[in-house]
């Protein structure tokens, strides 16, 4: 069925690939600071390319949002693999993974987008593959930390993901120190709630 799979594109030349990477990086930074409605001209300027080059790589805003979203998952998967390999403390490893996820603002590229774009992201095989592997790593880290007695035993990875989504929605686009401080406080409160030292049991 059309739209149910990813269309593989031919490899880009080195200069075209570099332009594409610059555009995605600029878009990510501006999406975090100002939201996904930031003018495309501002993204082109921040990327150091012409507006025509931007639109050749990404015909519309939705295509750029999808590309940033996928690039975020690619980055997060690389981080997750490295954390699982190198960090011996499972709770600390999970904390680092959650911080990385929020710092990339994975949810931000899915807010304020068209229903068509949101559905395309959710159905993308590439998105699904990377998302699934990140979740598998996070699940292993959570279970290890529960066995170690450092994280509470009455939670599952769905609880962690839900908390992550809620926190990401509460963090507005901002380039101010206040926005960054709010971000750090919310993450700290979320992590404290996962600790085995938390009082009381969760309902349900």
């Amino acid at each position: 069925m059309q739209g149910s799979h990813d269309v593989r594109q031919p490899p880009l030349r080195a200069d075209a690939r570099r332009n594409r990477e610059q555009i995605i990086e600029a878009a990510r930074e501006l999406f975090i600071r100002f939201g996904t409605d930031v003018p495309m001209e501002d993204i082109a300027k921040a990327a150091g390319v012409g507006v025509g080059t931007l639109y050749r790589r990404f015909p519309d805003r939705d295509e750029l949002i999808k590309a940033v979203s996928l690039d975020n998952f690619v980055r997060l998967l690389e981080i997750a693999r490295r954390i699982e390999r190198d960090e011996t403390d499972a709770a600390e490893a999970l904390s680092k993974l959650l911080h990385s996820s929020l710092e990339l603002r994975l949810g931000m590229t899915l807010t304020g987008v068209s229903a068509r774009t949101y559905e395309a992201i959710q159905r993308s095989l590439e998105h699904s593959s990377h998302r699934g592997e990140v979740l598998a790593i996070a699940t292993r880290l959570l279970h290890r930390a529960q066995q170690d007695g450092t994280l509470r035993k009455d939670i599952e990875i769905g609880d962690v993901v839900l908390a992550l989504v809620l926190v990401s929605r509460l963090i507005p686009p901002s380039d101010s120190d206040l926005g960054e401080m709010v971000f750090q406080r919310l993450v700290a409160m979320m992590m404290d709630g996962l600790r085995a030292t938390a009082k009381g049991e969760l309902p349900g």
Side-chain angles (χ1 to χ4, degrees), residues 99 103 171 179-189:
H99 271 86
E103 285 168 0
I171 303 171
E180 182 62 23
M181 182 267 289
V182 170
F183 165 70
Q184 295 296 339
R185 286 176 66 87
L186 287 174
V187 174
M189 286 189 290

Side-chain angles (χ1 to χ4, degrees), residues 20 23-24 27 31 40 43 54 58-69:
R20 189 178 191 279
I23 292 169
I24 289 175
F31 287 168
M40 296 289 272
I43 296 173
L54 186 153
F58 305 100
D60 57 41
R61 182 182 302 276
D62 286 351
E63 288 300 314
L64 179 55
I65 291 172
K66 288 193 299 185
V68 172
S69 177

Side-chain angles (χ1 to χ4, degrees), residues 8-195:
R8 299 295 178 180
Q9 300 294 331
L12 296 174
R13 299 193 320 269
D15 57 338
R17 184 172 62 252
R18 184 168 56 252
N19 285 343
R20 189 178 191 279
E21 291 170 353
Q22 291 172 189
I23 292 169
I24 289 175
E25 181 60 32
R28 179 189 0 263
E29 292 299 322
L30 291 178
F31 287 168
I32 289 173
R33 294 172 61 190
F34 304 114
T36 54
D37 290 332
V38 64
M40 296 289 272
E41 292 79 6
D42 290 357
I43 296 173
K45 182 178 180 181
V49 302
V51 175
T53 297
L54 186 153
Y55 279 107
R56 279 196 297 274
R57 300 273 74 84
F58 305 100
D60 57 41
R61 182 182 302 276
D62 286 351
E63 288 300 314
L64 179 55
I65 291 172
K66 288 193 299 185
V68 172
S69 177
L70 178 58
D71 190 70
N72 276 351
F73 274 112
V74 170
R75 286 172 178 240
L76 184 61
L77 179 53
E78 293 174 352
I79 292 170
R81 287 169 174 168
R82 183 174 66 250
I83 288 174
E84 185 179 34
R85 182 186 67 241
D86 298 340
E87 180 58 64
T88 57
D89 184 318
E92 181 63 22
L94 183 61
S95 176
K96 288 181 178 179
L97 180 55
L98 296 181
H99 271 86
S100 298
S101 176
L102 286 168
E103 285 168 0
L104 287 171
R105 306 296 205 271
L106 289 181
M108 185 165 293
T109 55
L110 302 184
T111 60
V113 302
S114 69
R116 175 177 60 84
T117 300
Y118 182 84
E119 182 180 0
I121 289 173
Q122 294 303 305
R123 295 173 66 180
S124 164
L125 293 180
E126 287 186 286
H127 279 80
S128 178
S129 174
H130 287 80
R131 184 168 56 235
E133 189 170 347
V134 169
L135 280 174
I137 292 173
T139 300
R140 289 196 295 269
L141 295 175
L142 173 63
H143 289 167
R144 280 175 46 201
Q146 289 172 322
Q147 292 171 1
D148 294 343
T150 50
L151 293 187
R152 57 192 306 162
K153 295 184 181 298
D154 57 347
I155 58 173
E156 268 300 342
I157 196 61
D159 299 302
V160 179
V161 171
L162 178 59
L164 193 66
V165 170
L166 292 174
V167 169
S168 71
R169 292 296 190 269
L170 290 172
I171 303 171
S174 176
D175 60 348
S176 68
D177 292 338
L178 177 61
E180 182 62 23
M181 182 267 289
V182 170
F183 165 70
Q184 295 296 339
R185 286 176 66 87
L186 287 174
V187 174
M189 286 189 290
M190 179 183 71
M191 288 307 305
D192 281 351
L194 300 179
R195 296 288 177 181

